[in-house]
Amino acid sequence: MKYGVVAFPSKKLQDLANGYRKRYDPHYALITPHMTIKGVFDADDKEIEQVAKAIQEVASKHKPFELNVSKVSTFAPITNTIFFKVTVNDDILALHKDLNEDFFGDQPEYSFVPHITIAQKLTSGEHDDIIGQLKMVGADHTEMIDRIHLLYQLEDGSWTVYETFRLDGVN
Amino acid sequence: MKYGVVAFPSKKLQDLANGYRKRYDPHYALITPHMTIKGVFDADDKEIEQVAKAIQEVASKHKPFELNVSKVSTFAPITNTIFFKVTVNDDILALHKDLNEDFFGDQPEYSFVPHITIAQKLTSGEHDDIIGQLKMVGADHTEMIDRIHLLYQLEDGSWTVYETFRLDGVN
C-alpha cells in the first residue's frame, strides 16, 4: 500500500489553494491542499505499524513549526507544477530530515522544496498562460502547524488519513 | 467551521465502496468512504480544541469495534441514499452514544443507523433502477476499527482530517 506524510494547512489557506486547484489541478479531488513532508513510499500492513510508531517518536520530538507562504512559484521546466512556496526554516528542515534520512522508505531524489501545489499536469502553453498572473497575485499568509498526518492511497488515487501526530516536542 | 466524526474502513472496503460511489455518489470527491459517528456540527476555533479533548477522552475509554457489513440497504423513501449496512453492536452503539448524548453539538434527529454510503442524491428513477442489483450483489466484509477521525469541511465541501483518535480503551 502507498503511504505519505503531509501537513494540512488551515481552512483559510486550503480554501485559497482550492480556488486555483479547482481549475488547474487534476488531483484536486484526490486530496485536500497539503505540504508533503515525506513523499510516497510503499509499506505492507505489518511495516506500517512500525513506521507509524517511528513517526510518532519523531513527532513527539519536534515542536510546531511556522508555515509562511509569501509567493507563487513554479517547478517549470522540470514539471509544470505551480505552488505556494513555503519559506524554509530550521523547524521544517529538521522535521523533513528526521522523516527522510535514515528513515523508512527511499531517500528523496530531489532536494526538499516545501510547497503547497495549486496547479499541475498543465501543458506548457497552459502553464505559461497563467504563471505570470498567479505570480503577480502572489500569496501572503503565516500560520503555525502543530500536527502532521500519515495518509494511504486508495485504488482510485484518493488519499485517506491513517493517523495524526501532534508535534508536541519542545525543540 | 463545520466538523464531524467518522471512521474510515480499511482500504479494501473503501475501494469496494468507491467502485459504486464513483458512479452513484456526487460526494465521491469530497470525502473517502466512511461511517459517520457524529454528524455535522458547528464549532469555532476555541470550541473545537475543547471538543477534540473531549473526543480524546471518549476514545480512550472505548476499545476497537468490529465493523461488519453484510448487506446493501436504502433509506428510500426518506432519501434515495443507498449504503452498506453496518451490523449494529454494543461497541458501536456505546461509542455513538458517548459522542452524541450529553456531548457538544445537537442531539441527532434520527435514530442511529450505522452505514457506509455508496450512492446518494439519486432521482427516484435512478434509485429504483439500481437498488435491486446492488442488493443482490450485496456486501460481506468484517474488520476491526481501531481509530476515529475528527474532520472539518472546506468551502468547496471537501473534508480534511483535523485529528485522529485511537480507540485504546479496554471496555
Side-chain angles (χ1 to χ4, degrees):
Chain A
M1 203 138 82
K2 283 182 177 160
Y3 293 87
V5 179
V6 308
F8 290 118
S10 65
K11 175 174 181 294
K12 188 179 173 186
L13 191 51
Q14 287 200 59
D15 284 340
L16 184 68
N18 268 340
Y20 296 109
R21 295 177 77 229
K22 197 162 195 165
R23 278 175 289 175
Y24 303 128
D25 184 352
H27 290 185
Y28 168 65
L30 301 179
I31 186 169
T32 54
H34 60 279
M35 179 180 91
T36 299
I37 299 170
K38 183 175 180 62
V40 179
F41 62 96
D42 265 298
D44 62 30
D45 291 357
K46 273 260 183 261
E47 289 168 333
I48 200 61
E49 285 179 34
Q50 297 306 314
V51 175
K53 269 185 201 165
I55 297 173
Q56 175 64 64
E57 273 174 40
V58 168
S60 71
K61 286 175 191 156
H62 285 264
K63 65 173 191 279
F65 62 82
E66 183 181 276
L67 185 149
N68 165 259
V69 296
S70 61
K71 61 185 280 198
V72 169
S73 192
T74 172
F75 285 126
I78 298 171
T79 66
N80 290 324
T81 298
I82 301 172
F83 54 88
F84 291 152
K85 189 171 172 66
V86 174
T87 308
V88 172
N89 62 43
D90 290 346
D91 295 335
I92 293 178
L93 286 181
L95 180 61
H96 177 266
K97 186 180 175 201
D98 282 355
L99 291 176
N100 287 277
E101 285 181 23
D102 301 322
F103 199 82
F104 191 89
D106 295 330
Q107 294 270 329
E109 287 175 51
Y110 302 100
S111 64
F112 178 49
V113 179
H115 66 279
I116 297 166
T117 295
I118 57 172
Q120 62 184 322
K121 314 275 178 193
L122 304 170
T123 66
S124 295
E126 289 166 339
H127 175 274
D128 297 349
D129 275 351
I130 63 173
I131 184 65
Q133 195 204 337
L134 291 185
K135 277 191 170 177
M136 206 166 61
V137 175
D140 180 17
H141 179 87
T142 301
E143 64 186 48
M144 293 304 291
I145 298 288
D146 65 358
R147 63 197 65 200
I148 57 177
H149 304 269
L150 173 62
L151 316 179
Y152 62 92
Q153 190 170 33
L154 303 181
E155 287 307 310
D156 68 353
S158 63
W159 291 86
T160 297
V161 169
Y162 181 80
E163 189 157 1
T164 303
F165 306 95
R166 280 175 178 268
L167 303 169
D168 44 19
V170 287
N171 293 305
Chain B
M1 203 138 82
K2 284 182 176 160
Y3 293 87
V5 179
V6 307
F8 290 118
S10 66
K11 176 174 181 295
K12 187 179 175 187
L13 191 51
Q14 288 201 58
D15 284 340
L16 184 67
N18 268 340
Y20 297 109
R21 296 178 76 229
K22 197 163 195 163
R23 280 174 289 173
Y24 303 129
D25 184 353
H27 291 184
Y28 169 65
L30 302 179
I31 186 168
T32 55
H34 60 281
M35 179 180 90
T36 300
I37 299 170
K38 184 176 181 60
V40 180
F41 61 96
D42 265 298
D44 63 30
D45 290 357
K46 273 259 183 262
E47 288 168 334
I48 200 61
E49 285 180 34
Q50 296 307 312
V51 175
K53 270 186 199 162
I55 296 173
Q56 176 64 65
E57 273 175 39
V58 168
S60 71
K61 286 174 190 156
H62 284 265
K63 65 172 190 281
F65 62 83
E66 183 182 277
L67 185 148
N68 165 259
V69 296
S70 62
K71 61 185 281 198
V72 169
S73 192
T74 172
F75 284 125
I78 298 171
T79 66
N80 290 324
T81 298
I82 300 172
F83 54 88
F84 292 152
K85 189 172 173 64
V86 174
T87 308
V88 172
N89 62 42
D90 290 346
D91 295 336
I92 294 179
L93 286 182
L95 181 60
H96 178 266
K97 186 181 173 199
D98 282 356
L99 291 176
N100 288 276
E101 286 181 21
D102 301 322
F103 199 83
F104 191 87
D106 295 330
Q107 294 270 329
E109 288 175 50
Y110 302 100
S111 64
F112 179 48
V113 179
H115 66 279
I116 296 166
T117 296
I118 59 173
Q120 61 184 322
K121 315 274 178 195
L122 304 171
T123 65
S124 295
E126 289 167 339
H127 174 275
D128 297 351
D129 275 352
I130 63 172
I131 184 64
Q133 195 205 335
L134 291 184
K135 276 190 171 177
M136 206 165 63
V137 176
D140 179 19
H141 179 87
T142 301
E143 64 185 49
M144 293 303 291
I145 298 290
D146 65 359
R147 64 197 66 199
I148 57 177
H149 305 269
L150 173 62
L151 317 178
Y152 62 91
Q153 190 170 32
L154 302 182
E155 287 307 310
D156 68 353
S158 64
W159 291 86
T160 297
V161 170
Y162 181 81
E163 189 156 3
T164 303
F165 306 95
R166 281 176 178 266
L167 302 170
D168 45 19
V170 288
N171 291 305

